[in-house]
Amino acid sequence: MLSATEAYNTLLAAYGTPRWWSEDPFVVLVQSVLVQNTTWSTVEKTWAALGGRLTPEAVERLSGQELERLIAPCGFQKAKARTIRELAGWFRGYGCDPRRLEEVPLPQLRGELLALRGIGPETADVILVYAFYRPSFVIDAYTRRLLDRLGYGFPDDDAIRRFFEDGLPRDARVYGQFHWLILDHCILRCRKVPRCGQCPFRDRCRYPAEAEKAALEGREKWN
């Protein structure tokens, strides 16, 4: 079974160093909400159309309806607008200064984010890693799919978190790059119906063997 470091190095060798989400923490805060239940390409198009108009100050000035209209292409705009306003208010409570968050213990900071409406564990960890460079590994559906196909059989997300955080340096950059590599890999190759031909894990993954066995059994059935 591959270790967390071996899996990370395999993806890094296959795809190269991925981009970072954004160096602007407020961009990460807003986009981490916008991307819920929609595609990343939709978020990028919506953000480009906004042209930098969404700042903490702008969110404070906008009415709920105005904010909903601006983010409408990403869907669920009423709920997302409410969450963005709560996040902006939370960030303003720290003076919109990431340095002030550096002294806050990670469990406390994560708890504050999870207490906001519309912020679940995945979004909280995205914000911690990409906005504030705190090591809290992001676990999403893509991560679960990849690990399941590689045969790890973790019982829950807590076990997945221990696997990554015990097996990697406590470095938010590594966590963020690993998460983005998994995202790229699962969009490109490890899809619901995977494209196994050029997969860097092909020799370690159980899916190709199972798929080939099923195909063979199907051929034998009809012969």
Side-chain angles (χ1 to χ4, degrees), residues 49-65:
L50 288 171
R53 283 183 287 162
L54 276 190
T55 63
E57 296 76 22
V59 170
E60 186 175 22
R61 291 194 304 267
L62 289 168
S63 70
Q65 289 183 334

Side-chain angles (χ1 to χ4, degrees), residues 21 27-36 87 119 123 126-127:
W21 191 304
V27 171
V28 178
L29 263 63
V30 175
Q31 290 185 344
S32 70
V33 175
L34 294 181
V35 79
Q36 295 173 0
L87 262 177
I119 302 297
T123 303
V126 162
I127 291 169

Side-chain angles (χ1 to χ4, degrees), residues 138-188:
V138 182
I139 300 167
D140 58 10
Y142 292 124
T143 306
R144 298 183 195 99
R145 179 196 298 168
L146 176 62
L147 294 178
D148 180 65
R149 286 179 175 170
L150 289 175
Y152 287 94
F154 293 115
D156 52 35
D157 285 356
D158 287 339
I160 293 174
R161 184 178 302 280
R162 287 193 297 273
F163 169 72
F164 285 117
E165 296 189 356
D166 291 347
L168 296 166
R170 296 283 288 182
D171 184 332
R173 282 282 181 182
V174 172
Y175 287 13
Q177 289 175 358
F178 202 166
H179 171 254
W180 209 281
L181 285 165
I182 292 173
L183 177 68
D184 284 344
H185 175 68
C186 287
I187 290 174
L188 182 63

Side-chain angles (χ1 to χ4, degrees), residues 20-29 47 54 56 91 130-131 133:
W20 197 249
W21 191 304
S22 173
E23 297 297 339
D24 183 334
F26 193 69
V27 171
V28 178
L29 263 63
W47 195 256
L54 276 190
F91 195 34
Y130 292 104
Y133 302 93

Side-chain angles (χ1 to χ4, degrees):
M1 195 71 68
L2 290 169
S3 68
T5 299
E6 288 170 333
Y8 172 67
N9 288 336
T10 297
L11 289 171
L12 197 61
Y15 300 106
T17 302
R19 61 173 176 162
W20 197 249
W21 191 304
S22 173
E23 297 297 339
D24 183 334
F26 193 69
V27 171
V28 178
L29 263 63
V30 175
Q31 290 185 344
S32 70
V33 175
L34 294 181
V35 79
Q36 295 173 0
N37 299 302
T38 193
T39 62
W40 180 246
S41 61
T42 300
V43 173
E44 289 184 312
K45 290 175 184 176
T46 303
W47 195 256
L50 288 171
R53 283 183 287 162
L54 276 190
T55 63
E57 296 76 22
V59 170
E60 186 175 22
R61 291 194 304 267
L62 289 168
S63 70
Q65 289 183 334
E66 288 172 325
L67 181 55
E68 289 170 24
R69 179 178 56 80
L70 292 174
I71 65 173
C74 293
F76 303 95
Q77 56 265 34
K78 187 176 290 294
K80 290 182 180 181
R82 182 187 65 205
T83 300
I84 289 169
R85 292 174 73 86
E86 288 206 13
L87 262 177
W90 171 82
F91 195 34
R92 286 196 303 274
Y94 286 99
C96 296
D97 184 355
R99 292 172 297 182
R100 291 179 57 181
L101 283 82
E102 292 175 1
E103 303 303 318
V104 182
L106 178 57
Q108 177 184 330
L109 201 57
R110 192 170 190 266
E112 290 179 10
L113 290 168
L114 290 172
L116 303 176
R117 287 183 297 177
I119 302 297
E122 180 184 336
T123 303
D125 292 329
V126 162
I127 291 169
L128 290 168
V129 170
Y130 292 104
F132 304 122
Y133 302 93
R134 304 296 291 270
S136 188
F137 201 90
V138 182
I139 300 167
D140 58 10
Y142 292 124
T143 306
R144 298 183 195 99
R145 179 196 298 168
L146 176 62
L147 294 178
D148 180 65
R149 286 179 175 170
L150 289 175
Y152 287 94
F154 293 115
D156 52 35
D157 285 356
D158 287 339
I160 293 174
R161 184 178 302 280
R162 287 193 297 273
F163 169 72
F164 285 117
E165 296 189 356
D166 291 347
L168 296 166
R170 296 283 288 182
D171 184 332
R173 282 282 181 182
V174 172
Y175 287 13
Q177 289 175 358
F178 202 166
H179 171 254
W180 209 281
L181 285 165
I182 292 173
L183 177 68
D184 284 344
H185 175 68
C186 287
I187 290 174
L188 182 63
R189 305 215 179 277
C190 198
R191 300 179 172 188
K192 288 184 179 179
V193 178
R195 298 176 173 178
C196 300
Q198 301 299 317
C199 176
F201 296 113
R202 180 176 174 81
D203 293 337
R204 310 295 291 267
C205 179
R206 69 184 188 182
Y207 192 93
E210 291 178 355
E212 290 169 4
K213 179 181 178 182
L216 179 61
E217 289 174 348
R219 287 195 298 269
E220 290 176 346
K221 178 180 178 180
W222 294 105
N223 285 341

